[in-house]
Amino acid sequence: MKSCDKWSPIIAMVAIDFGFAIVNLLLKRIVDGGMDHLVFITYRQCIATIFLAPIAYLSERNRRPKLTFGILCHHFLSAIVGASLTQYFFLLGIQYTSASFSCAFINMVPVITFLMALPFRLENVNIKGSTGGRAKVVGALVCLGGAMILTLYKGSPLYKYSRSGVATHIVDQALKLSSGKRKERWTLGSMALISGTLLWSSWFLLQSYISKSYPCQYSSTAIMSLFAAIQSAALAVSMDRNFSMWALKGKEEILTVMYAGIVGSGMCYVGMSWCVKKRGPLFTAAFSPLIQIIAAMFDIPFLHEQLHLGSLLGSITVIAGLYILLWGKNKEMQNCVAKVSQGTEEIKDQEPSSQVDIL
């Protein structure tokens, strides 16, 4: 039973990252096809709400806490930083860069989550007297260095491929842009991805609080999805009154919206909320690099995305820094457990002598 409790969050996070990687790859195709970002997010969140609402009602109706105004406000904020604005920025990033490059930015989420958690005392650092504390700081700095490489250096493509079909059309359109225009689009895409990453990291911290005040993953995710759908729809209408953009074109857009809603915004968010509750925000965020690895496995051979030197070097640096950070966190946890065990043994050793004195 203990072994199951230990491995189930790990298995869940691997499955969640696989689902997110597929969503990112499908998104790249329909975004290049011209689908409006906010329209897609609205449909995605609506489908997630419809999918999760009956499950939440049936499975959590007897143990659901009272829905107060404060809890609703937290869910409204969770929808902003975890769904509507975050997904919008990531979609812009995917459109202006590539799916694998956008996934590389997700590698920064654990480090940013760690840095944000420090002021709220969800994480701590002991630099002077702890090897683990020093490792956490070094890992954070290495990750930030990798993030700078990803942002500022694109580099040359690492391989050549023969293009055909949709890929040919997309790449040919890109080649028509001037060099300055392509550089501007890549910079805008990087800035959008940075914004999305900051918001995404904030969501893990907020979810850590929500999981304690409202510990019902299905109901919580359904409420968040509903708020996100309303926010995205309001923003889409305020930016463009052309209602023809709401029409889905073809099976590919319909299937992508359905998959992203049910799997990406439904099951994956429920799973992440459960993992945050079980293991904390940093553990859940630490699996983010898997999304890039899985996406690259499909992105390069099937969607014919170019892999650039800057993306490869930056990703390797970020992942190396991430696992230095995680090693330091694990080291601190082991030291903490050892101190607790030592204190318990000292108390047990003192108990017999105390009983003798009383007698």
Side-chain angles (χ1 to χ4, degrees):
M1 193 68 181
K2 290 183 179 180
S3 178
C4 182
D5 292 338
K6 178 182 178 181
W7 286 100
S8 53
I10 297 174
I11 296 171
M13 283 309 306
V14 172
I16 288 166
D17 288 343
F18 187 88
F20 275 136
I22 300 300
V23 169
N24 281 359
L25 295 175
L26 294 174
L27 285 182
K28 177 63 176 174
R29 292 181 63 89
I30 66 169
V31 165
D32 286 334
M35 185 174 185
D36 186 84
H37 301 155
L38 291 170
V39 170
F40 170 80
I41 296 169
T42 303
Y43 281 137
R44 173 179 178 171
Q45 298 303 325
C46 285
I47 291 170
T49 305
I50 295 170
F51 172 72
L52 291 173
I55 300 175
Y57 176 77
L58 294 174
S59 63
E60 297 173 344
R61 57 182 174 178
N62 296 326
R63 57 186 178 88
R64 191 165 38 236
K66 185 178 179 180
L67 201 61
T68 64
F69 178 75
I71 291 175
L72 284 175
C73 289
H74 285 120
H75 281 87
F76 187 85
L77 181 60
S78 176
I80 293 175
V81 302
S84 54
L85 278 184
T86 301
Q87 291 176 15
Y88 178 68
F89 284 130
F90 272 115
L91 281 172
L92 282 178
I94 290 173
Q95 182 182 20
Y96 290 157
T97 58
S98 68
S100 57
F101 183 78
S102 65
C103 287
F105 268 82
I106 300 176
N107 294 344
M108 294 185 290
V109 170
V111 180
I112 297 175
T113 304
F114 166 66
L115 295 176
M116 287 183 170
L118 291 176
F120 298 98
R121 296 184 179 180
L122 296 174
E123 291 289 336
N124 57 76
V125 176
N126 182 9
I127 300 176
K128 293 182 179 180
S130 172
T131 304
R134 289 191 291 269
K136 288 162 75 172
V137 173
V138 171
L141 293 175
V142 172
C143 281
L144 290 177
M148 294 299 292
I149 295 174
L150 281 171
T151 308
L152 302 175
Y153 178 61
K154 183 178 179 180
S156 58
L158 298 180
Y159 69 96
K160 296 180 179 181
Y161 61 87
S162 58
R163 294 174 267 113
S164 60
V166 177
T168 303
H169 174 72
I170 295 171
V171 175
D172 287 344
Q173 290 295 322
L175 290 175
K176 291 178 181 178
L177 296 172
S178 65
S179 177
K181 188 68 174 178
R182 290 201 302 272
K183 185 176 180 180
E184 180 183 347
R185 287 171 62 90
W186 194 269
T187 303
L188 288 174
S190 298
M191 292 175 62
L193 290 170
I194 291 172
S195 301
T197 302
L198 291 172
L199 290 172
W200 187 230
S201 299
S202 303
W203 181 83
F204 285 105
L205 302 181
L206 181 61
Q207 192 60 37
S208 179
Y209 175 80
I210 292 175
S211 64
K212 297 176 182 177
S213 61
Y214 199 78
C216 297
Q217 282 76 42
Y218 290 107
S219 299
S220 179
T221 308
I223 295 169
M224 185 193 75
S225 299
L226 177 61
F227 280 139
I230 296 171
Q231 292 164 1
S232 303
L235 189 58
V237 172
S238 65
M239 293 178 65
D240 192 344
R241 299 296 179 88
N242 181 16
F243 292 100
S244 62
M245 68 181 183
W246 292 88
L248 295 177
K249 304 168 186 176
K251 294 181 180 179
E252 185 176 25
E253 287 191 359
I254 295 173
L255 292 175
T256 300
V257 167
M258 293 292 292
Y259 180 85
I262 294 173
V263 178
S265 294
M267 297 170 63
C268 289
Y269 272 77
V270 169
M272 285 192 300
S273 299
W274 178 78
C275 288
V276 169
K277 180 182 177 182
K278 288 287 185 180
R279 294 290 185 88
L282 186 57
F283 170 87
T284 308
F287 283 82
S288 301
L290 281 179
I291 300 178
Q292 184 203 4
I293 297 171
I294 297 170
M297 291 170 57
F298 295 95
D299 198 11
I300 295 170
F302 295 109
L303 298 186
H304 304 295
E305 289 283 358
Q306 279 285 12
L307 180 63
H308 293 87
L309 180 61
S311 299
L312 180 62
L313 292 177
S315 299
I316 292 173
T317 306
V318 169
I319 293 172
L322 168 65
Y323 287 103
I324 294 172
L325 169 64
L326 292 179
W327 179 86
K329 181 175 175 59
N330 184 60
K331 190 75 173 176
E332 284 192 341
M333 290 179 63
Q334 290 176 355
N335 293 338
C336 183
V337 171
K339 289 180 181 179
V340 171
S341 300
Q342 184 179 358
T344 305
E345 290 178 0
E346 290 177 355
I347 293 172
K348 289 181 179 179
D349 291 339
Q350 293 173 2
E351 284 179 355
S353 61
S354 300
Q355 291 176 0
V356 172
D357 293 340
I358 294 171
L359 292 173

